[in-house]
Amino acid sequence: MKTGVIGLGDMGSGLAKNLLANGFQVSGLDLLPHRMAAFKAMGGQAAATAAEVGAASDAVFVMVMNGDQARSLILGDDGLVSTMPDGGAVILSATIKPREAREIGEQFPERLHLIDTPVSGGFPGAQSGTLTMMAAAAPEVLDRFAPVMEAVSANIHRVGTMPGDGQTVKACLQSLI
């Protein structure tokens, strides 16, 4: 399975590193040239646009700063869904508002899958591949993409089936912490 990562900062670089270590081909994108250089040095394939990442991937992690960035990179004119192969999955691992994840889900094409799965574990968890994921999607989708998710996570909690369910559980976790 070919994978992608959009957002190669502290968290996304760890996702990419662990995907590569587990034998996945990884295409990636970040706005900062030094992050792209580090990604290429670890063996990743640099892309110039989100659409380019989508065309090269069966599953793409989106690890960006906010919901507006996620929406644009996923659904925009040159976004992931414009080029991803049928049956592919966008793995929304960024922490955004539950409402934003639901809105992305409402506009998501039926030919693709959206896995709403924010993560916990911070920089150490991302770099060591021991993140905790709060995953929401249909059980068969989670089963199909489990190998990709397991490459970056020590704990995958299935918390629902709808976009926004993972973000809601993550918000509850943050409140408790």
Side-chain angles (χ1 to χ4, degrees):
M1 189 176 299
K2 296 181 287 182
T3 64
V5 178
I6 296 181
L8 296 166
D10 288 347
M11 301 296 287
S13 65
L15 296 174
K17 173 183 144 187
N18 287 293
L19 288 165
L20 289 162
N22 280 278
F24 290 98
Q25 177 182 327
V26 184
S27 178
L29 175 66
D30 196 279
L31 295 175
L32 299 178
H34 73 277
R35 289 181 180 170
M36 290 297 287
F39 173 67
K40 287 192 280 188
M42 71 171 99
Q45 298 175 345
T49 65
E52 192 176 320
V53 174
S57 305
D58 300 304
V60 179
F61 287 90
V62 176
M63 183 59 85
V64 295
M65 297 298 293
N66 60 53
D68 288 338
Q69 290 174 345
R71 182 181 301 103
S72 175
L73 290 163
I74 294 168
L75 299 171
D77 290 338
D78 203 21
L80 289 171
V81 301
S82 68
T83 58
M84 284 189 78
D86 290 353
V90 172
I91 304 172
L92 181 56
S93 51
T95 300
I96 63 174
K97 295 174 184 163
R99 170 188 52 78
E100 293 169 325
R102 285 190 296 273
E103 290 169 356
I104 291 169
E106 289 167 1
Q107 298 174 48
F108 211 75
E110 288 185 26
R111 65 180 191 78
L112 297 172
H113 305 289
L114 178 62
I115 301 173
D116 175 22
T117 183
V119 299
S120 181
F123 179 76
Q127 296 299 316
S128 65
T130 59
L131 290 169
T132 296
M133 301 182 110
M134 289 137 277
E140 61 274 10
V141 173
L142 294 176
D143 290 344
R144 178 171 173 215
F145 293 96
V148 175
M149 295 166 61
E150 290 167 353
V152 301
S153 176
N155 300 294
I156 301 171
H157 300 284
R158 295 180 180 212
V159 299
T161 60
M162 303 298 296
D165 290 349
Q167 300 297 334
T168 298
V169 171
K170 172 73 185 274
C172 291
L173 174 67
Q174 293 299 100
S175 294
L176 291 172
I177 291 174

